Amino acid sequence: MITVTILTQEDGKITGFSAEGHSGTAPRGEDIVCAGVSSLTDSAYLGITEYLHRNVISTDSSGKLHMVLEGRPDERTEAILETMLLGLTAIAEAYPRALRIIKS
């Protein structure tokens, strides 16, 4: 199972996320759940670091991606991270045994 933890501050704004695991719905390289989660989390990371040029603390290794904003979230980072969460939620609804989302 893939677990994505959404990190939030007290007002509910997203400050980062941690994604790890494998869905196990198909062999590696053919797993559409893993591909979808990876695409959404990688795109959010790239949008924040490469497009918005925000500083983050991150680690990226096989099957894991962790990213936390160094500064406070703003409208632009929130738009990217909330869009990621919408996509992840849709995947979790379609594949509830393969993806779990935790808000922290």
Side-chain angles (χ1 to χ4, degrees), residues 15-102:
T15 58
F17 63 88
S18 182
E20 63 181 273
H22 296 283
S23 75
T25 59
R28 285 183 187 243
E30 298 176 21
D31 193 323
I32 62 169
V33 176
C34 283
V37 171
S38 293
S39 293
L40 288 165
T41 56
D42 289 350
S43 292
Y45 174 81
L46 290 170
I48 288 170
T49 59
E50 300 297 320
Y51 182 74
L52 297 181
H53 304 288
R54 301 296 197 273
N55 292 325
V56 301
I57 299 167
S58 66
T59 56
D60 186 6
S61 61
S62 179
K64 296 181 182 181
L65 175 59
H66 178 78
M67 187 211 79
V68 177
L69 295 169
E70 281 193 355
R72 296 187 56 80
D74 57 37
E75 287 182 16
R76 296 178 90 189
T77 61
E78 191 67 3
I80 289 172
L81 293 169
E82 285 288 348
T83 300
M84 176 195 73
L85 181 55
L86 287 170
L88 292 171
T89 300
I91 294 171
E93 288 171 358
Y95 299 91
R97 293 184 178 182
L99 174 59
R100 177 174 61 160
I101 300 171
I102 301 169

